[in-house]
Tab-separated table of all heavy atoms in Angstrom:
chain	number	residue	atom	x	y	z
B	23	ILE	N	221.756	200.990	-67.785
B	23	ILE	CA	221.769	200.110	-66.610
B	23	ILE	C	223.014	200.395	-65.779
B	23	ILE	O	222.950	200.515	-64.548
B	23	ILE	CB	221.724	198.618	-67.029
B	23	ILE	CG1	220.504	198.320	-67.913
B	23	ILE	CG2	221.778	197.706	-65.803
B	23	ILE	CD1	219.159	198.621	-67.297
B	24	LEU	N	224.154	200.518	-66.443
B	24	LEU	CA	225.419	200.745	-65.742
B	24	LEU	C	225.428	202.053	-64.962
B	24	LEU	O	226.168	202.170	-63.981
B	24	LEU	CB	226.586	200.714	-66.740
B	24	LEU	CG	226.859	199.361	-67.387
B	24	LEU	CD1	227.901	199.495	-68.486
B	24	LEU	CD2	227.289	198.341	-66.338
B	25	SER	N	224.621	203.010	-65.369
B	25	SER	CA	224.605	204.308	-64.677
B	25	SER	C	223.685	204.323	-63.452
B	25	SER	O	223.567	205.340	-62.788
B	25	SER	CB	224.190	205.423	-65.651
B	25	SER	OG	222.834	205.277	-66.023
B	26	ARG	N	223.048	203.179	-63.175
B	26	ARG	CA	222.160	203.070	-62.008
B	26	ARG	C	222.712	202.040	-61.027
B	26	ARG	O	223.476	201.169	-61.386
B	26	ARG	CB	220.751	202.594	-62.422
B	26	ARG	CG	219.781	203.695	-62.749
B	26	ARG	CD	219.934	204.197	-64.097
B	26	ARG	NE	218.894	205.181	-64.450
B	26	ARG	CZ	218.822	205.682	-65.639
B	26	ARG	NH1	219.667	205.321	-66.581
B	26	ARG	NH2	217.891	206.571	-65.922
B	27	LYS	N	222.255	202.151	-59.794
B	27	LYS	CA	222.547	201.133	-58.780
B	27	LYS	C	221.551	200.003	-59.003
B	27	LYS	O	220.333	200.230	-58.992
B	27	LYS	CB	222.376	201.739	-57.386
B	27	LYS	CG	222.596	200.770	-56.266
B	27	LYS	CD	224.056	200.605	-55.987
B	27	LYS	CE	224.247	199.776	-54.724
B	27	LYS	NZ	225.602	199.324	-54.596
B	28	VAL	N	222.045	198.794	-59.240
B	28	VAL	CA	221.193	197.619	-59.432
B	28	VAL	C	221.308	196.745	-58.192
B	28	VAL	O	222.407	196.347	-57.810
B	28	VAL	CB	221.587	196.828	-60.698
B	28	VAL	CG1	220.736	195.567	-60.836
B	28	VAL	CG2	221.464	197.697	-61.946
B	29	LEU	N	220.166	196.475	-57.571
B	29	LEU	CA	220.117	195.653	-56.360
B	29	LEU	C	219.364	194.362	-56.644
B	29	LEU	O	218.285	194.400	-57.242
B	29	LEU	CB	219.394	196.403	-55.234
B	29	LEU	CG	219.967	197.748	-54.816
B	29	LEU	CD1	219.028	198.425	-53.827
B	29	LEU	CD2	221.350	197.582	-54.226
B	30	ARG	N	219.922	193.241	-56.220
B	30	ARG	CA	219.195	191.971	-56.295
B	30	ARG	C	218.551	191.762	-54.933
B	30	ARG	O	219.217	191.474	-53.948
B	30	ARG	CB	220.110	190.807	-56.643
B	30	ARG	CG	219.328	189.494	-56.794
B	30	ARG	CD	220.190	188.335	-57.235
B	30	ARG	NE	221.283	188.038	-56.334
B	30	ARG	CZ	221.169	187.262	-55.250
B	30	ARG	NH1	220.001	186.725	-54.928
B	30	ARG	NH2	222.218	187.038	-54.492
B	31	MET	N	217.236	191.936	-54.887
B	31	MET	CA	216.486	191.831	-53.645
B	31	MET	C	215.886	190.430	-53.530
B	31	MET	O	215.647	189.771	-54.537
B	31	MET	CB	215.368	192.882	-53.621
B	31	MET	CG	215.841	194.306	-53.859
B	31	MET	SD	217.160	194.842	-52.753
B	31	MET	CE	216.340	194.698	-51.181
B	32	PRO	N	215.609	189.993	-52.302
B	32	PRO	CA	214.918	188.703	-52.172
B	32	PRO	C	213.522	188.795	-52.773
B	32	PRO	O	212.874	189.836	-52.708
B	32	PRO	CB	214.861	188.465	-50.665
B	32	PRO	CG	215.071	189.790	-50.043
B	32	PRO	CD	215.860	190.617	-51.013
B	33	SER	N	213.095	187.719	-53.373
B	33	SER	CA	211.763	187.668	-53.962
B	33	SER	C	210.698	187.974	-52.912
B	33	SER	O	210.825	187.581	-51.748
B	33	SER	CB	211.509	186.285	-54.547
B	33	SER	OG	210.164	186.153	-54.946
B	34	THR	N	209.652	188.652	-53.342
B	34	THR	CA	208.526	188.922	-52.447
B	34	THR	C	207.493	187.802	-52.486
B	34	THR	O	206.436	187.913	-51.878
B	34	THR	CB	207.851	190.270	-52.784
B	34	THR	OG1	207.392	190.238	-54.138
B	34	THR	CG2	208.826	191.424	-52.580
B	35	SER	N	207.818	186.719	-53.177
B	35	SER	CA	206.969	185.526	-53.157
B	35	SER	C	206.861	185.029	-51.723
B	35	SER	O	207.829	185.101	-50.959
B	35	SER	CB	207.584	184.449	-54.034
B	35	SER	OG	207.020	183.192	-53.750
B	36	PRO	N	205.707	184.489	-51.349
B	36	PRO	CA	205.563	183.992	-49.978
B	36	PRO	C	206.234	182.651	-49.717
B	36	PRO	O	206.238	182.172	-48.589
B	36	PRO	CB	204.044	183.873	-49.827
B	36	PRO	CG	203.553	183.595	-51.208
B	36	PRO	CD	204.472	184.387	-52.123
B	37	ILE	N	206.842	182.069	-50.734
B	37	ILE	CA	207.485	180.764	-50.565
B	37	ILE	C	208.766	180.951	-49.745
B	37	ILE	O	209.647	181.721	-50.134
B	37	ILE	CB	207.794	180.130	-51.930
B	37	ILE	CG1	206.495	179.881	-52.698
B	37	ILE	CG2	208.580	178.833	-51.757
B	37	ILE	CD1	206.694	179.518	-54.153
B	38	PRO	N	208.869	180.267	-48.605
B	38	PRO	CA	210.073	180.399	-47.782
B	38	PRO	C	211.309	179.873	-48.508
B	38	PRO	O	211.233	178.925	-49.284
B	38	PRO	CB	209.779	179.544	-46.545
B	38	PRO	CG	208.313	179.301	-46.560
B	38	PRO	CD	207.882	179.373	-47.986
B	39	THR	N	212.436	180.523	-48.263
B	39	THR	CA	213.712	180.066	-48.803
B	39	THR	C	214.655	179.804	-47.636
B	39	THR	O	214.313	180.073	-46.482
B	39	THR	CB	214.329	181.132	-49.739
B	39	THR	OG1	214.682	182.278	-48.959
B	39	THR	CG2	213.375	181.522	-50.856
B	40	ARG	N	215.847	179.358	-47.943
B	40	ARG	CA	216.834	179.098	-46.894
B	40	ARG	C	217.126	180.374	-46.105
B	40	ARG	O	217.255	180.348	-44.888
B	40	ARG	CB	218.110	178.561	-47.531
B	40	ARG	CG	219.210	178.232	-46.544
B	40	ARG	CD	220.416	177.626	-47.242
B	40	ARG	NE	220.943	178.438	-48.316
B	40	ARG	CZ	221.802	179.464	-48.138
B	40	ARG	NH1	222.214	179.784	-46.947
B	40	ARG	NH2	222.255	180.133	-49.180
B	41	ASP	N	217.226	181.521	-46.802
B	41	ASP	CA	217.610	182.770	-46.146
B	41	ASP	C	216.427	183.645	-45.727
B	41	ASP	O	216.593	184.501	-44.860
B	41	ASP	CB	218.512	183.581	-47.079
B	41	ASP	CG	219.818	182.864	-47.365
B	41	ASP	OD1	220.342	182.214	-46.443
B	41	ASP	OD2	220.303	182.952	-48.503
B	42	TYR	N	215.291	183.466	-46.362
B	42	TYR	CA	214.135	184.347	-46.095
B	42	TYR	C	212.912	183.495	-45.806
B	42	TYR	O	212.373	182.838	-46.682
B	42	TYR	CB	213.895	185.286	-47.285
B	42	TYR	CG	215.088	186.168	-47.520
B	42	TYR	CD1	216.027	185.868	-48.490
B	42	TYR	CD2	215.307	187.288	-46.719
B	42	TYR	CE1	217.148	186.655	-48.677
B	42	TYR	CE2	216.422	188.083	-46.898
B	42	TYR	CZ	217.340	187.762	-47.878
B	42	TYR	OH	218.448	188.548	-48.047
B	43	ARG	N	212.491	183.525	-44.553
B	43	ARG	CA	211.400	182.666	-44.111
B	43	ARG	C	210.036	183.328	-44.262
B	43	ARG	O	209.042	182.662	-44.490
B	43	ARG	CB	211.600	182.251	-42.652
B	43	ARG	CG	212.940	181.602	-42.345
B	43	ARG	CD	213.312	180.442	-43.226
B	43	ARG	NE	212.343	179.348	-43.160
B	43	ARG	CZ	212.299	178.349	-44.009
B	43	ARG	NH1	213.143	178.276	-45.007
B	43	ARG	NH2	211.401	177.405	-43.883
B	44	GLY	N	209.966	184.647	-44.060
B	44	GLY	CA	208.660	185.295	-44.075
B	44	GLY	C	208.763	186.783	-44.336
B	44	GLY	O	209.762	187.280	-44.862
B	45	LEU	N	207.728	187.503	-43.935
B	45	LEU	CA	207.629	188.937	-44.209
B	45	LEU	C	208.714	189.735	-43.499
B	45	LEU	O	209.357	190.589	-44.108
B	45	LEU	CB	206.234	189.440	-43.804
B	45	LEU	CG	206.008	190.951	-43.924
B	45	LEU	CD1	206.170	191.430	-45.354
B	45	LEU	CD2	204.630	191.318	-43.384
B	46	GLU	N	208.931	189.498	-42.220
B	46	GLU	CA	209.817	190.346	-41.436
B	46	GLU	C	211.242	190.369	-41.975
B	46	GLU	O	211.849	191.434	-42.094
B	46	GLU	CB	209.820	189.917	-39.964
B	46	GLU	CG	208.490	190.125	-39.255
B	46	GLU	CD	207.420	189.089	-39.628
B	46	GLU	OE1	207.779	187.971	-40.086
B	46	GLU	OE2	206.227	189.402	-39.492
B	47	ASP	N	211.784	189.198	-42.321
B	47	ASP	CA	213.157	189.190	-42.816
B	47	ASP	C	213.250	189.795	-44.223
B	47	ASP	O	214.267	190.388	-44.578
B	47	ASP	CB	213.803	187.806	-42.736
B	47	ASP	CG	212.980	186.684	-43.322
B	47	ASP	OD1	211.920	186.954	-43.907
B	47	ASP	OD2	213.387	185.517	-43.181
B	48	ARG	N	212.187	189.694	-44.990
B	48	ARG	CA	212.188	190.345	-46.302
B	48	ARG	C	212.122	191.868	-46.151
B	48	ARG	O	212.800	192.593	-46.876
B	48	ARG	CB	211.056	189.817	-47.164
B	48	ARG	CG	211.348	188.417	-47.717
B	48	ARG	CD	210.165	187.886	-48.520
B	48	ARG	NE	210.465	186.664	-49.216
B	48	ARG	CZ	210.323	185.449	-48.692
B	48	ARG	NH1	209.927	185.300	-47.441
B	48	ARG	NH2	210.593	184.370	-49.405
B	49	VAL	N	211.305	192.360	-45.233
B	49	VAL	CA	211.245	193.814	-44.984
B	49	VAL	C	212.640	194.323	-44.635
B	49	VAL	O	213.082	195.348	-45.164
B	49	VAL	CB	210.230	194.165	-43.867
B	49	VAL	CG1	210.386	195.611	-43.421
B	49	VAL	CG2	208.800	193.913	-44.333
B	50	GLU	N	213.336	193.619	-43.764
B	50	GLU	CA	214.688	194.045	-43.373
B	50	GLU	C	215.617	194.096	-44.579
B	50	GLU	O	216.365	195.050	-44.735
B	50	GLU	CB	215.263	193.130	-42.290
B	50	GLU	CG	214.651	193.368	-40.930
B	50	GLU	CD	214.671	194.829	-40.521
B	50	GLU	OE1	215.746	195.466	-40.577
B	50	GLU	OE2	213.598	195.358	-40.145
B	51	ALA	N	215.563	193.099	-45.426
B	51	ALA	CA	216.420	193.075	-46.612
B	51	ALA	C	216.062	194.204	-47.572
B	51	ALA	O	216.942	194.864	-48.137
B	51	ALA	CB	216.312	191.729	-47.313
B	52	TRP	N	214.753	194.458	-47.754
B	52	TRP	CA	214.301	195.476	-48.693
B	52	TRP	C	214.588	196.893	-48.193
B	52	TRP	O	214.497	197.852	-48.962
B	52	TRP	CB	212.813	195.288	-49.008
B	52	TRP	CG	212.592	194.285	-50.112
B	52	TRP	CD1	212.581	192.927	-49.995
B	52	TRP	CD2	212.357	194.571	-51.489
B	52	TRP	NE1	212.355	192.353	-51.218
B	52	TRP	CE2	212.201	193.339	-52.152
B	52	TRP	CE3	212.248	195.750	-52.222
B	52	TRP	CZ2	211.965	193.247	-53.520
B	52	TRP	CZ3	211.996	195.662	-53.586
B	52	TRP	CH2	211.869	194.425	-54.216
B	53	ARG	N	214.956	197.061	-46.927
B	53	ARG	CA	215.333	198.398	-46.432
B	53	ARG	C	216.475	198.995	-47.259
B	53	ARG	O	216.653	200.206	-47.287
B	53	ARG	CB	215.734	198.343	-44.957
B	53	ARG	CG	214.569	198.199	-44.028
B	53	ARG	CD	214.941	198.435	-42.572
B	53	ARG	NE	213.887	197.979	-41.714
B	53	ARG	CZ	212.724	198.592	-41.550
B	53	ARG	NH1	212.468	199.705	-42.200
B	53	ARG	NH2	211.796	198.083	-40.734
């Protein structure tokens, strides 16, 4: 694990969160 880059990405669940409301902002984060 330590030899890889580990990224915590926003969940792809459709449930809106404070920071991620929908598809578009998740796509931007997942870039």
Side-chain angles (χ1 to χ4, degrees):
I23 304 301
L24 293 172
S25 68
R26 269 82 174 184
K27 178 81 172 166
V28 177
L29 302 173
R30 183 176 59 85
M31 306 306 299
S33 171
T34 59
S35 163
I37 298 168
T39 67
R40 181 177 55 83
D41 296 323
Y42 299 99
R43 306 308 300 166
L45 175 61
E46 294 75 23
D47 50 5
R48 285 177 172 88
V49 168
E50 285 309 308
W52 275 81
R53 285 192 194 287

